[in-house]
Amino acid sequence: ILNNEIDPSEPGNFNQALMDLGRLICKPRNPHCNKCPIYSNCLSYINKTTDSYPARRIKKQRPHHEIGVAVIWKNNKILISKRKKEAMLGGLWEFPGGKIDAKESTEECIKREIKEELNIDIMPYKYINSIEHAYSHFSISMHAFHCNFISGTPKAIGCDKFMWIKVKDIVSLPFPKANHKLFNDIPTIQP
């Protein structure tokens, strides 16, 4: 229908006019229909449905997860693990841990996750801090604890790699931004 109205040598002028009409007259809230040069052809105006456009999209609530992570100490070094390449944030180092299940304490979660991911036994002994972090599709509350290494030989089961490092070395490795928020809370020697 509008093809006859568009100047083929300068179609951009027509497009700009439509954008200006939307910006100045046909606003999403409180449109100025009485000032519109094309109101007599506007089906929304004719049918008295201008308050229905644009259709309001209901925002989906972004999921939120409670996460427990462990700063595992042995001989004044900490154990870190590398996320699997195919996982979200794959290839980054992290403090091992995972999602807290319903009816599970943070300490229970950490012990379970470390056993599943690294096949070792640990004992959480001191709360470090909790941080909030938002990703594009979800958000987390990450709760960190200092933990003693108790027993076992670490194995990369739920991760690609693991290593024991001195705390000062964490800044030289690629970690997710959420983990960075804990760096200043970790002393250089075991508390």
Side-chain angles (χ1 to χ4, degrees):
I1 294 175
L2 294 175
N3 285 341
N4 296 334
E5 305 299 323
I6 301 173
D7 181 351
S9 64
E10 295 187 42
N13 289 341
F14 184 83
N15 291 339
Q16 185 62 50
L18 283 180
M19 289 189 287
D20 289 343
L21 184 69
R23 181 174 55 89
L24 299 170
I25 308 267
C26 194
K27 297 180 175 196
R29 294 188 184 150
N30 303 319
H32 301 293
C33 296
N34 58 334
K35 296 179 182 178
C36 182
I38 60 170
Y39 76 94
S40 61
N41 296 319
C42 176
L43 292 178
S44 184
Y45 178 79
I46 293 166
N47 295 321
K48 298 182 183 344
T49 59
T50 56
D51 59 339
S52 300
Y53 297 98
R56 307 276 189 253
R57 286 194 302 171
I58 298 172
K59 288 186 178 180
K60 290 183 181 177
Q61 180 114 9
R62 189 170 29 177
H64 183 81
H65 304 291
E66 299 291 324
I67 308 291
V69 297
V71 177
I72 304 166
W73 291 92
K74 181 181 174 187
N75 300 324
N76 284 320
K77 289 186 175 182
I78 59 172
L79 183 63
I80 60 172
S81 59
K82 193 171 195 177
R83 296 182 63 83
K84 290 192 175 210
K85 286 184 178 95
E86 64 276 3
M88 182 179 155
L89 305 174
L92 297 179
W93 291 94
E94 67 180 353
F95 302 116
K99 291 180 189 172
I100 302 171
D101 290 339
K103 299 181 182 177
E104 181 180 52
S105 72
T106 304
E107 294 93 328
E108 290 168 335
C109 163
I110 292 169
K111 289 166 69 174
R112 175 185 53 76
E113 286 283 345
I114 302 310
K115 187 68 172 175
E116 291 172 3
E117 291 178 19
L118 295 160
N119 197 38
I120 59 172
D121 296 308
I122 60 159
M123 182 57 65
Y125 67 89
K126 185 179 180 184
Y127 170 76
I128 299 173
N129 198 358
S130 293
I131 61 100
E132 303 294 322
H133 191 77
Y135 294 96
S136 59
H137 294 86
F138 65 94
S139 61
I140 63 168
S141 295
M142 187 166 62
H143 313 284
F145 276 80
H146 288 294
C147 301
N148 279 322
F149 172 81
I150 301 297
S151 64
T153 302
K155 294 180 180 133
I157 300 170
C159 58
D160 270 350
K161 294 179 184 179
F162 64 87
M163 69 176 161
W164 292 97
I165 64 166
K166 293 182 179 182
V167 172
K168 68 178 180 63
D169 295 330
I170 59 177
V171 295
S172 65
L173 297 167
F175 275 79
K177 291 285 183 207
N179 281 222
H180 280 258
K181 294 178 180 181
L182 292 171
F183 285 2
N184 291 334
D185 296 320
I186 302 171
T188 56
I189 59 171
Q190 184 171 0

